[in-house]
Amino acid sequence: MQVQQVKERSKAFVNLFRQHKGMNMELKTFKGGLHPPDNKRWSEKKAIEVCPVAEGDELVIHLSQHIGAPAEACVQKGDKVLKGQVIGTPKGFVSVPIHASTSGEVIAVEPRLDTAGNKTMAVVIKADGKDEWDPNLSGADPDKLMPQELKDRILAAGIVGMGGATFPTHVKLSPPEGKKIDYLILNGVECEPYLTADDRLMQEKPEEVVEGILILKRILGVEKAVIGIEANKPTAIETMQKACEGKGIEVCPLQLKYPQGAEKQLIYAVTGREVPSGGLPMDCGCVVQNVGTAAAVNAAVRRGIPLIERIATVSGSAVAEPKNLLIKIGQPISKLVEFCGGVKGELGKIIQGGPMMGMAAVSMDVPVTRGTSGILLFSEGEVIRAPEGPCVRCGNCVRACPAFIMPTEIAFQMRRGKVDEAEKLNVMDCIECGSCTYICPAQIPLLQFFRQAKSAIRANIAKRKKV
Amino acid sequence: MIAAVISLGGIGFLAAVILGFAAKKFAVEVDPREAEIAGNLPGANCGACGYAGCGGYAKAVVAGNAPPNLCTPGGAGAVAMIARVMGVEATAAEPTVAVICCQGDNTRAQDKYKYVGVHDCRTAQALAGGPKACPSGCLGLGTCVAACAFGALSISPEGLAVVDREKCVGCKKCTTVCPRNVIKMAPKSATVQVLCNSHDKGAVIKSYCQVGCIGCQICKKTAEDVYAVDNFLASVKNESYDQEKAVAGMLKCPAKCIHDLAAADTPQEEKTEEKAQ
Amino acid sequence: MTEMFIILVSTILVNNFVLAQFLGLCPFMGVSKKLDTAIGMGAAVTFVMAVAAMVTWVIQYFVLAKFGIEYLQTIAFILVIAFLVQLVEMIIQKTSPVLYQALGIFLPLITTNCAVLGLAVLNVQKGHSFLQSILFAIGAALGFTLAMVLMAGIREKVDVGPVPKCFQGLPIAFITAGLMSLAFMGFAGLIK
């Protein structure tokens, strides 16, 4: 297995080298980054299947599945809920409501283990197997609604960024006064290895995505909309191109490189604009939305369906049969894996999300959330647990960094606990893509140092504000 | 000869006059008390007093913004010195030492996952709440050791932080960096302490740790004024500490999580010696 | 003009006071831990050197030479330099307490700094004119500052690097200084 890793790594190096030599020049991309073996072949040909919820299944729906303030539970133990019914109301502007994913009985409202390993408030629903829709949900014709009404519908449906960051969509669609937005960029890049959920979505439901984009365009009042798709999804590119014809939406194939799906990198790749350090995409007139979000927006506006299910890839070397699934929010990981034929061989690591930026889950019992783009199971031998070596200053991390900071220098400073020096080296610009850690031949946990630095700096800033 | 004396003397005299003039013109007002206090403080800049370094504390004392007994590393000596300089009376604060409220080392407490990465408790804590199954036990990655300016902390071979009660000056630096608040401050004389930090219920604790406090209340029943039990975790009431009663409660503890730290030194040393042999 | 330029280049690079002539090593090792203090120290030395060069030149030619007491050169120069440094110290303490704090005990060190004394003596030995001695002083001080800044930059980097325990602190600084000196040897022969 070790030999295999070395081979794959050297392949990545060769790819990097080629990119720097200027081959592959015809496609747009950003500066920096790398291309890890994408391993999408395992699931890219598999059509989306529905992962069923049987009677008696427990769904654990966390009240904080988004960035911002957690929602507040508005149901109690013993309540009967219907599919799509609101079970958590938003607290504040940067927050979204939470809905029941299926019909059944609320058996508990208590802190439950989430993917991050913390116990956070959750509503536990015991499914009655009927999967009965809330009759109050109704759709509308988006052309007859004002942008604000559309936004209200998006908020009511609890829609968040589906790429994994889970930032409330209605906030992203409400740029502050004076910020002119002229570009809507759709993220169909899916640069994370293994994941094929967005790929399948674009192939199977292109019209949903396109309709969603048209609604988003209406809300923002922009002319230009571009879908960025990496070149390793030729079918998706073709399908989307066909679906977008005459709709004023452009499809932009992009060179294979990670982390192309990161907001700032995608903006640069598509428009050539650079988001200023410490700024937001709106600072350069762009709004980026995931294609999954666009499809969810369409469902929310036209049919009134809240965000209670999503598409996720279950893949990895320890999964018997990798698949793309339509999952219900709150299903435990174990259920998904069971549906995919169970665990193959010895399980080494469970990751929720992609292998580069995803989060390792502590157990199979944690539920999936609105941000779960994939569940990856890796076998024992594949998980690298080698001790870190000394930095040889090869500079691979600096070359790979898409945010143009110097990972090695910051790690050196953080080893000595010099947070201020790390701040001077612009560690706050780190997008936590993990490219540096991936490419590091000494296996130094660089990203962990940055996270440490960032949380320390944030604490310092908060302290300074207090004083 | 005369030329040499006169010319050099002249240069010297001229220099002296200019310097004397400059000393008046560029005089900087310095409160001599501030310099004296700063000079006599330990100079470790540990921050235990809550000010930025010894200089900052000296400044605050002279300005009348700080009481004279905040310097724990300096102990009674520093208090007396400040009191003498400032001309006030002061009583020394009771010296405190850090206590690691956990006994769950690698042999006695279980991990929930294997941690590989930056050797720092704070980073480990950020990953799914730390590798230890116990939500509040010592992680043993040595963040406190790095923070201690006095070399009073170390990590035992079994992966648990250990305090050298002689070296500890009670600056509280370690308590601020510990992400799990395992380190508590206790008066040096209160040697009997509850070495557990988990509020989990007995059955839960038993599932991951052999030496956790199960909140059985036996110590409290034995010595009401020394022990308190809050949310399934016993603690020693330091303000009404009584050695005899504390020991009585310690002997009754079924979970063996109350220890006399003054006495505990001996068996631990024996243990390491045994290992060495 | 060419001659002036040559004096500057030769004192900054070829005959760098610290790295080629090994003068003023005490502040070089002591104050080069941080870039900020190194620059401050360089500025202080530059100022003292320029003033010292002027004053000692005047003393040499208008006092010592006139009365034929050149044998008192060392004493007279030390006296004057010490006076100057005291004056600078007082002014800095009043005008920039931060710089004063940073330079700490190293300011009085300039009092008996061999670089400053060496400069005054060299000026006399080489028979420099008044203008030449000032240029020589400025060049020497810039060379000193350059060495300090380079050293401080390197030491800031070395400080965070994985230095073996036995080399940490001063030992690695001495090794660094040695290597820097070797590098500056490369300038030898640039100017005769």
Side-chain angles (χ1 to χ4, degrees):
Chain A
M1 216 53 209
Q2 281 288 342
V3 178
Q4 187 63 28
Q5 277 157 20
V6 171
K7 270 188 189 163
E8 288 195 335
R9 257 160 194 265
S10 61
K11 246 189 250 165
F13 277 116
V14 169
N15 272 324
L16 197 68
F17 180 63
R18 274 195 197 136
Q19 281 157 12
H20 280 271
K21 290 289 273 187
M23 291 165 120
N24 226 347
M25 271 295 274
E26 65 277 15
L27 293 174
K28 286 184 178 177
T29 191
F30 62 100
K31 291 175 192 157
L34 41 86
H35 181 60
D38 58 22
N39 288 323
K40 290 191 194 264
R41 62 187 188 290
W42 292 1
S43 57
E44 65 188 352
K45 298 262 162 20
K46 305 271 179 66
I48 301 166
E49 289 177 58
V50 178
C51 185
V53 175
E55 189 184 342
D57 278 2
E58 267 182 32
L59 297 189
V60 181
I61 305 172
H62 282 279
L63 289 167
S64 178
Q65 298 183 25
H66 49 267
I67 289 175
E72 203 177 52
C74 60
V75 288
Q76 282 162 359
K77 188 179 170 184
D79 284 1
K80 292 263 185 266
V81 290
L82 294 171
K83 186 178 177 184
Q85 188 183 327
V86 174
I87 54 173
T89 45
K91 299 279 282 176
F93 180 57
V94 188
S95 184
V96 289
I98 305 286
H99 306 81
S101 315
T102 188
S103 59
E105 188 191 341
V106 176
I107 55 169
V109 180
E110 60 184 17
R112 286 288 183 108
L113 203 66
D114 64 12
T115 319
N118 305 318
K119 284 198 167 167
T120 49
M121 280 307 276
V123 173
V124 186
I125 295 173
K126 192 169 187 181
D128 57 10
K130 291 180 203 146
D131 216 24
E132 201 177 326
W133 277 102
D134 185 352
N136 297 329
L137 300 172
S138 62
D141 184 357
D143 296 334
K144 289 187 183 131
L145 293 173
M146 296 300 290
Q148 187 55 46
E149 288 170 311
L150 291 169
K151 265 192 263 181
D152 290 344
R153 279 187 165 263
I154 289 171
L155 167 62
I159 293 178
V160 295
M162 307 272 276
T166 64
F167 191 76
T169 301
H170 69 278
V171 181
K172 244 182 174 182
L173 293 175
S174 314
E177 290 288 325
K179 292 263 187 238
K180 174 112 184 57
I181 305 295
D182 62 344
Y183 241 115
L184 172 65
I185 299 171
L186 275 299
N187 188 345
V189 173
E190 204 158 51
C191 57
E192 280 270 11
Y194 293 92
L195 303 188
T196 52
D198 289 348
D199 186 10
R200 288 313 303 183
L201 171 73
M202 288 187 286
Q203 285 184 37
E204 294 181 29
K205 297 173 183 167
E207 66 290 340
E208 294 267 318
V209 178
V210 170
E211 293 294 324
I213 298 171
L214 293 177
I215 295 172
L216 291 171
K217 267 176 82 173
R218 224 174 99 74
I219 295 174
L220 289 166
V222 297
E223 289 297 310
K224 275 179 267 184
V226 183
I227 311 177
I229 306 174
E230 271 195 353
N232 60 355
K233 302 180 231 339
T235 331
I237 294 174
E238 210 178 298
T239 330
M240 286 315 291
Q241 262 164 349
K242 241 180 249 164
C244 292
E245 252 167 45
K247 299 262 170 66
I249 303 167
E250 197 188 315
V251 176
C252 179
L254 298 167
Q255 189 189 317
L256 280 188
K257 209 157 71 173
Y258 177 87
Q260 194 123 247
E263 232 171 22
K264 294 171 186 176
Q265 280 59 40
L266 181 60
I267 291 173
Y268 184 83
V270 172
T271 68
R273 295 179 190 175
E274 210 169 312
V275 180
S277 169
L280 291 169
M282 61 175 73
D283 291 327
C284 62
C286 297
V287 165
V288 182
Q289 294 286 359
N290 190 271
V291 286
T293 317
V297 163
N298 182 48
V301 174
R302 278 181 197 275
R303 299 194 288 279
I305 296 175
L307 184 52
I308 53 166
E309 49 189 20
R310 66 159 295 146
I311 302 164
T313 305
V314 181
S315 186
S317 53
V319 176
E321 199 189 337
K323 279 179 183 173
N324 297 299
L325 299 178
L326 186 66
I327 54 170
K328 289 225 159 43
I329 310 300
Q331 282 183 307
I333 293 179
S334 53
K335 206 88 200 166
L336 273 56
V337 174
E338 200 181 295
F339 188 73
C340 292
V343 177
K344 186 175 68 181
E346 202 178 341
L347 184 59
K349 203 170 199 171
I350 313 160
I351 293 176
Q352 206 175 97
M356 300 294 282
M357 283 186 83
M359 204 187 284
V362 187
S363 87
M364 288 265 247
D365 301 326
V366 298
V368 295
T369 67
R370 289 173 171 176
T372 305
S373 46
I375 298 291
L376 303 177
L377 270 59
F378 293 110
S379 55
E380 184 63 42
E382 204 173 12
V383 181
I384 303 173
R385 291 219 183 96
E388 63 175 285
C391 173
V392 293
R393 294 169 198 260
C394 61
N396 277 334
C397 53
V398 182
R399 238 166 290 142
C401 181
F404 318 130
I405 55 175
M406 292 196 285
T408 168
E409 281 294 314
I410 298 169
F412 271 131
Q413 299 290 358
M414 283 310 290
R415 247 184 242 279
R416 296 290 147 109
K418 296 191 174 175
V419 178
D420 293 345
E421 301 292 326
E423 192 175 1
K424 270 185 222 156
L425 290 164
N426 296 320
V427 69
M428 291 311 271
D429 281 346
C430 172
I431 58 166
E432 306 192 9
C433 68
S435 297
C436 50
T437 314
Y438 174 83
I439 205 82
C440 180
Q443 311 206 352
I444 298 170
L446 293 159
L447 179 53
Q448 241 188 335
F449 281 115
F450 307 156
R451 288 208 177 126
Q452 196 184 346
K454 282 167 97 171
S455 65
I457 291 168
R458 272 190 216 113
N460 283 351
I461 291 171
K463 221 191 276 171
R464 258 178 256 155
K465 265 188 193 159
K466 236 193 243 166
V467 173
Chain B
M1 170 66 191
I2 293 173
V5 171
I6 291 175
S7 51
L8 265 191
I11 295 172
F13 182 73
L14 197 67
V17 168
I18 297 176
L19 275 185
F21 178 70
K24 276 243 163 74
K25 175 102 181 147
F26 294 104
V28 179
E29 298 253 339
V30 181
D31 195 325
R33 294 181 298 176
E34 191 183 319
E36 191 176 350
I37 292 175
N40 284 317
L41 285 171
N45 292 323
C46 65
C49 50
Y51 291 91
C54 296
Y57 178 52
K59 207 171 200 168
V61 168
V62 173
N65 295 332
N69 60 351
L70 288 185
C71 183
T72 21
V79 179
M81 180 272 295
I82 295 174
R84 179 177 50 76
V85 175
M86 295 297 294
V88 292
E89 279 190 30
T91 46
E94 151 102 69
T96 57
V97 286
V99 177
I100 310 287
C101 292
C102 179
Q103 294 186 87
D105 55 26
N106 296 341
T107 58
R108 294 191 273 202
Q110 283 166 10
D111 284 349
K112 63 182 171 202
Y113 67 87
K114 194 167 176 250
Y115 176 75
V116 184
V118 178
H119 217 68
D120 188 306
C121 302
R122 287 167 295 189
T123 5
Q125 178 70 10
L127 271 183
K132 210 153 233 173
C134 174
S136 27
C138 173
L139 292 171
L141 292 170
T143 298
C144 51
V145 178
C148 184
F150 303 93
L153 282 155
S154 57
I155 297 293
S156 71
E158 292 86 22
L160 197 69
V162 183
V163 179
D164 184 331
R165 288 174 72 85
E166 290 311 306
K167 285 186 188 164
C168 179
V169 299
C171 72
K172 298 187 202 151
K173 254 248 156 100
C174 47
T175 60
T176 56
V177 294
C178 179
R180 297 184 136 197
N181 298 323
V182 183
I183 310 177
K184 303 227 161 72
M185 302 308 295
K188 205 163 188 175
S189 55
T191 53
V192 175
Q193 291 291 335
V194 181
L195 301 185
C196 182
N197 191 37
S198 172
H199 284 287
D200 277 344
K201 290 175 189 165
V204 183
I205 283 196
K206 282 283 168 224
S207 70
Y208 55 67
C209 183
Q210 302 167 14
V211 283
C213 172
I214 53 175
C216 65
Q217 312 247 2
I218 291 180
C219 54
K220 193 181 167 189
K221 281 172 202 153
T222 318
E224 184 85 39
D225 19 328
V226 178
Y227 292 99
V229 178
D230 166 45
N231 198 7
F232 304 101
L233 176 62
S235 61
V236 171
K237 289 194 240 169
N238 290 324
E239 58 281 2
S240 58
Y241 183 81
D242 181 285
Q243 181 72 18
E244 252 172 60
K245 286 178 184 168
V247 169
M250 172 180 95
L251 295 174
K252 286 262 174 77
C253 178
K256 300 271 168 289
C257 64
I258 307 179
H259 277 261
D260 190 343
L261 294 163
D265 289 348
T266 357
Q268 272 224 337
E269 264 167 35
E270 274 169 20
K271 216 175 16 178
T272 33
E273 268 169 31
E274 271 170 35
K275 276 220 161 158
Q277 282 164 4
Chain C
M1 198 59 220
T2 328
E3 190 199 2
M4 304 283 175
F5 181 70
I6 285 176
I7 288 182
L8 265 185
V9 172
S10 87
T11 44
I12 294 175
L13 295 177
V14 187
N15 296 319
N16 188 296
F17 262 45
V18 178
L19 294 171
Q21 307 205 13
F22 308 117
L23 292 167
L25 289 179
C26 179
F28 177 66
M29 296 311 294
V31 201
S32 61
K33 271 193 195 126
K34 277 218 155 106
L35 203 56
D36 304 348
T37 50
I39 293 172
M41 185 72 182
V45 168
T46 310
F47 181 71
V48 170
M49 273 191 174
V51 179
M54 285 189 260
V55 177
T56 50
W57 192 88
V58 172
I59 299 257
Q60 171 69 24
Y61 292 105
F62 287 95
V63 180
L64 301 182
K66 211 157 203 175
F67 296 111
I69 47 169
E70 281 100 337
Y71 58 90
L72 284 176
Q73 192 193 45
T74 314
I75 292 177
F77 284 2
I78 287 180
L79 177 69
V80 169
I81 292 167
F83 154 69
L84 279 173
V85 173
Q86 277 300 308
L87 198 63
V88 169
E89 192 184 344
M90 280 177 189
I91 295 170
I92 290 184
Q93 193 177 5
K94 180 76 179 174
T95 52
S96 167
V98 184
L99 188 62
Y100 181 75
Q101 282 262 310
L103 295 182
I105 58 159
F106 295 102
L107 251 184
L109 273 180
I110 312 181
T111 319
T112 47
N113 188 332
C114 51
V116 185
L117 185 63
L119 167 98
V121 175
L122 276 174
N123 262 337
V124 176
Q125 269 181 11
K126 296 194 173 185
H128 283 149
S129 72
F130 186 66
L131 201 60
Q132 279 174 333
S133 6
I134 293 174
L135 260 183
F136 189 73
I138 290 172
L142 286 181
F144 178 83
T145 313
L146 176 73
M148 288 281 288
V149 168
L150 288 179
M151 185 68 175
I154 295 174
R155 277 181 83 174
E156 273 189 3
K157 283 257 181 298
V158 167
D159 239 20
V160 293
V163 180
K165 198 150 198 185
C166 54
F167 282 121
Q168 272 170 19
L170 268 186
I172 194 77
F174 275 114
I175 292 171
T176 315
L179 289 174
M180 279 176 72
S181 180
L182 267 180
F184 266 73
M185 286 293 174
F187 290 117
L190 192 66
I191 292 164
K192 270 193 295 181

